[in-house]
Amino acid sequence: MERIGVAARGALLVLSYLVMLVAGTLGWVPVFAVAGLAAVVGEFALSRWSPPSDLLLEKVGLNRGYRQLSRDLATVLLVAATVRLTAIEVTWLLILPAVVWVIAVFSGALNTMIDRRNPISALVRNIELGPIRSAPRPPQWASDLAGVPLAVANVLLIPAAVVAAVQDDVAPVLVVGAVAAVAAAAVGAIIALTWLRGRGTGKSPVLPVLQRWLDSYRPEVALYFAGPAKDVYQANMWLAPTEALNQRGIVLMRSREAFLELADTRLPVVCVPAGVDFMNLELGTVRAALYAANVGANIHMLREPGMKHVFVGHGDSDKQASVNPYSKVYDEVWVAGLAGRERYARAGVGVRDEDIVEIGRPQLAGVHTFGARAEDRPFTVLYAPTWEGWLDDDPYHTSVVLMGERIVKGLLATSPTVRLIYKPHPLTGSRSKEAKAAHERIVSLVRAAGGDVDATSLDGPGHRVVTGRVPALFDCFNQTDLLISDVSSVVSDFVQSQRPYVVANPSGLPEDEFRREFPTSRAAYLLSVDCGELEKILALTRTGDDPMTEARRELKTYLLGPAEANPMDRFQEEIGRLCR
């Protein structure tokens, strides 16, 4: 259904341009005015709210440039069909819109040449590279307008053409066309002058300077992340453990957008987007490369022979993603505990048992293991569902769609009251419009209950919706008396706290089968799709008379390793082994 909606929105926009062309040719002024307004509003709406529709039109050869050309042609046709014109007026009617297009084309070409002259070959953080001479660049706003976007200046010809048709006078179109041409010429002049100033400037020397810094810093451990910005949370969870190592660490990234979204860190961070540039870096001092995600661009690091390549992932869970066959390309796969080792053995995806290392979860060092509930705050329930997953036709991957509202309504209606923290997965709603809509309804419920729906702090007694990077999930753990989640790494990590937790069972699997298929639920209370067990679970866990306490203690050892072992020490020990 979502694909149909994307195609329908694109088709409606194309239809508005077709109507403009027909109306312009036949001189139907009211129809042209309505279609022109629809086209302008539609372009804005697609770019703002439906980028997939815009992408679809580009794929079928109806990109924005062609659409803008048809808009300007329709405008000229309307004036020619409704206004009595002299030969000189016809000439200017054709020349003025064309001037804007000529300037747009050449400014785009020059801007591309400027970019190639001075490419953004590397971005750095917490690194002092010293002064680097670079070719001049135009102001960002001028660079953004150069090329096809500059032709948007002709959009004002639409209302001018309608006025001209009504008044039988071409003057409004010529005046607006002249203004558009002058505005385009100003942008074009800025781009051209910048290009002239930079003649003779070679490529940016950032990479050689960066290489000299790497040679002097001599990093031993590299946290490598080549995923997109939306997945940068996967790298964020390994920043603190890497910072705490005795060895010199570095973060290597491949996406400029992800680099900008990376959490604060004391580690030096290097982002080299181009594969060729990255592979030309000399990283001979690195002994251990840590990978938080399985993505194609990992190959540019995996080809380095002088280091050990270790998949550390972004959380152990019972999901299929936690036993990806891609994992066998690494020298070692590090898991939290015995559960991770057995998970790979059951999956039979080619990862050898001797290549699996149990290190615990060093990120959990800051998660408090609670005894009795803290008395200085209300009983707090954290609802932290996972997202809908890559297969958006799986209705049971997340509880948000089938159970989310029912869970939240039940918690908000509980007496005595509880405090709710709602922290969905960062990707919730990114693939499923049903999940996105359910999430928005949950946020509305919390807002109606007086909660803070843009929370950046957990201080205070009220409800919270946490969708940003701060507070972090583990900060939420430390405020939580009861977790409600799905089959995900959230459950595995929360077991560190030894607090009670609930796993949603939207598929309605029998309890024995559910616990057998998803071992992380062995010490959980299960919640069926009607949430009928919620009231009883709250009553049991609020009184402190919790029958699952011993089961959680045993499960913690199975999932995260021996209770007496410090996971950060284990992490450091294994890193030290690789670096030796």
Side-chain angles (χ1 to χ4, degrees):
M1 290 299 293
E2 180 63 23
R3 294 189 183 94
I4 293 174
V6 167
R9 288 187 287 272
L12 286 173
L13 180 63
V14 171
L15 179 62
S16 67
Y17 282 107
L18 292 175
V19 172
M20 280 185 71
L21 286 167
V22 173
T25 303
L26 300 177
W28 297 343
V29 178
V31 176
F32 177 91
V34 173
L37 179 63
V40 173
V41 173
E43 287 287 0
F44 175 79
L46 251 63
S47 63
R48 181 79 178 269
W49 295 299
S50 188
S53 299
D54 201 7
L55 180 60
L56 177 63
L57 291 178
E58 187 168 340
K59 286 181 176 179
V60 299
L62 296 173
N63 62 42
R64 188 170 301 178
Y66 290 140
R67 300 197 299 267
Q68 291 186 157
L69 275 171
S70 68
R71 173 203 66 201
D72 293 350
L73 175 60
T75 302
V76 170
L77 289 173
L78 178 71
V79 175
T82 57
V83 179
R84 288 168 292 179
L85 301 171
T86 65
I88 191 68
E89 288 172 339
V90 170
T91 302
W92 282 109
L93 178 64
L94 297 173
I95 286 177
L96 289 174
V99 166
V100 173
W101 275 100
V102 170
I103 295 172
V105 169
F106 279 96
S107 66
L110 292 176
N111 195 59
T112 299
M113 293 168 67
I114 292 169
D115 287 341
R116 291 178 177 174
R117 178 188 290 164
N118 191 25
I120 303 177
S121 53
L123 300 166
V124 299
R125 190 196 298 183
N126 303 330
I127 297 174
E128 181 52 59
L129 295 180
I132 297 176
R133 182 176 177 271
S134 59
R137 287 186 175 277
Q140 188 61 47
W141 63 267
S143 183
D144 291 342
L145 284 173
V148 171
L150 190 56
V152 78
N154 279 341
V155 74
L156 295 177
L157 291 174
I158 295 176
V162 172
V163 172
V166 171
Q167 296 180 350
D168 191 21
D169 184 0
V170 75
V173 173
L174 298 182
V175 170
V176 170
V179 171
V182 170
V187 175
I190 292 172
I191 300 293
L193 289 172
T194 305
W195 176 76
L196 288 171
R197 285 171 50 217
R199 283 185 304 172
T201 305
K203 285 192 173 183
S204 168
V206 171
L207 287 175
V209 176
L210 174 61
Q211 184 63 65
R212 288 195 291 272
W213 178 87
L214 286 168
D215 293 341
S216 63
Y217 178 66
R218 298 181 63 81
E220 299 168 88
V221 179
L223 173 59
Y224 181 89
F225 183 74
K230 65 182 178 62
D231 294 338
V232 78
Y233 70 92
Q234 299 169 354
N236 287 341
M237 69 171 59
W238 287 101
L239 293 176
T242 307
E243 282 181 4
L245 291 171
N246 297 330
Q247 290 78 10
R248 288 182 298 278
I250 190 172
V251 181
L252 300 176
M253 305 186 72
R254 306 299 307 285
S255 162
R256 180 177 183 273
E257 292 74 22
F259 171 85
L260 297 175
E261 292 295 322
L262 188 73
D264 293 337
T265 178
R266 297 190 303 273
L267 292 166
V269 184
V270 173
C271 176
V272 181
V276 172
D277 290 340
F278 183 84
M279 290 187 289
N280 282 331
L281 287 180
E282 172 54 50
L283 300 169
T285 62
V286 174
R287 290 292 170 263
L290 309 179
Y291 300 80
N294 285 318
V295 293
N298 284 5
I299 189 64
H300 298 143
M301 188 72 174
L302 285 165
R303 65 190 294 276
E304 294 287 341
M307 61 186 72
K308 288 293 185 180
H309 302 275
V310 179
F311 181 67
V312 292
H314 48 275
D316 280 15
S317 78
D318 293 325
K319 291 180 182 178
Q320 194 65 29
S322 289
V323 287
N324 193 320
Y326 189 100
S327 302
K328 60 177 172 282
V329 305
Y330 305 100
D331 295 308
E332 296 183 3
V333 174
W334 289 3
V335 298
L338 181 60
R341 181 183 297 276
E342 292 185 351
R343 191 178 296 122
Y344 272 103
R346 288 193 304 270
V349 293
V351 177
R352 299 184 303 176
D353 186 72
E354 58 266 33
D355 293 336
I356 297 175
V357 180
E358 299 172 31
I359 65 161
R361 284 281 280 162
Q363 294 88 348
L364 302 180
V367 175
H368 305 321
T369 299
F370 289 104
R373 181 174 68 82
E375 297 297 333
D376 59 344
R377 56 174 170 76
F379 187 88
T380 300
V381 180
L382 170 63
Y383 178 39
T386 191
W387 69 306
E388 54 270 28
W390 294 112
L391 300 175
D392 56 6
D393 57 348
D394 180 359
Y396 307 128
H397 200 82
T398 174
S399 61
V400 168
V401 176
L402 298 178
M403 302 172 61
E405 291 175 85
R406 198 173 290 120
I407 290 171
V408 170
K409 286 179 180 178
L411 293 172
L412 295 177
T414 298
S415 180
T417 59
V418 302
R419 181 173 72 141
L420 168 64
I421 300 174
Y422 171 54
K423 185 171 177 59
H425 190 286
L427 299 182
T428 296
S430 61
R431 286 184 61 82
S432 164
K433 65 178 182 180
E434 289 83 5
K436 182 178 181 181
H439 161 72
E440 291 172 349
R441 291 193 295 271
I442 290 171
V443 172
S444 297
L445 288 171
V446 179
R447 180 186 288 111
D452 182 354
V453 299
D454 296 303
T456 56
S457 169
L458 297 175
D459 296 336
H463 306 303
R464 297 287 189 275
V465 173
V466 180
T467 53
R469 200 165 60 207
V470 178
L473 178 64
F474 299 152
D475 296 325
C476 295
F477 284 179
N478 287 335
Q479 293 270 331
T480 297
D481 299 299
L482 174 68
L483 168 74
I484 301 177
S485 189
D486 300 322
V487 174
S488 71
S489 62
V490 172
V491 169
S492 305
D493 288 344
F494 188 74
V495 169
Q496 169 73 15
S497 75
Q498 292 291 275
R499 286 284 187 172
Y501 67 101
V502 178
V503 176
N505 179 15
S507 65
L509 282 176
E511 181 174 337
D512 290 346
E513 183 179 346
F514 190 91
R515 294 187 192 277
R516 185 169 57 252
E517 185 171 345
F518 307 115
T520 53
S521 67
R522 290 178 186 173
Y525 295 95
L526 299 187
L527 193 63
S528 59
V529 72
D530 65 2
C531 301
E533 308 89 348
L534 185 58
E535 185 176 350
K536 181 180 178 181
I537 293 171
L538 286 170
L540 275 174
T541 53
R542 293 181 76 157
T543 61
D545 185 18
D546 180 6
M548 302 295 282
T549 301
E550 184 58 34
R552 287 197 302 273
R553 187 175 295 114
E554 294 175 1
L555 184 64
K556 179 180 176 181
T557 300
Y558 178 62
L559 293 178
L560 304 174
E564 65 276 7
N566 183 318
M568 190 59 221
D569 290 344
R570 294 164 69 190
F571 182 58
Q572 174 64 75
E573 180 181 341
E574 296 301 334
I575 289 290
R577 171 178 61 83
L578 296 184
C579 289
R580 284 192 297 272

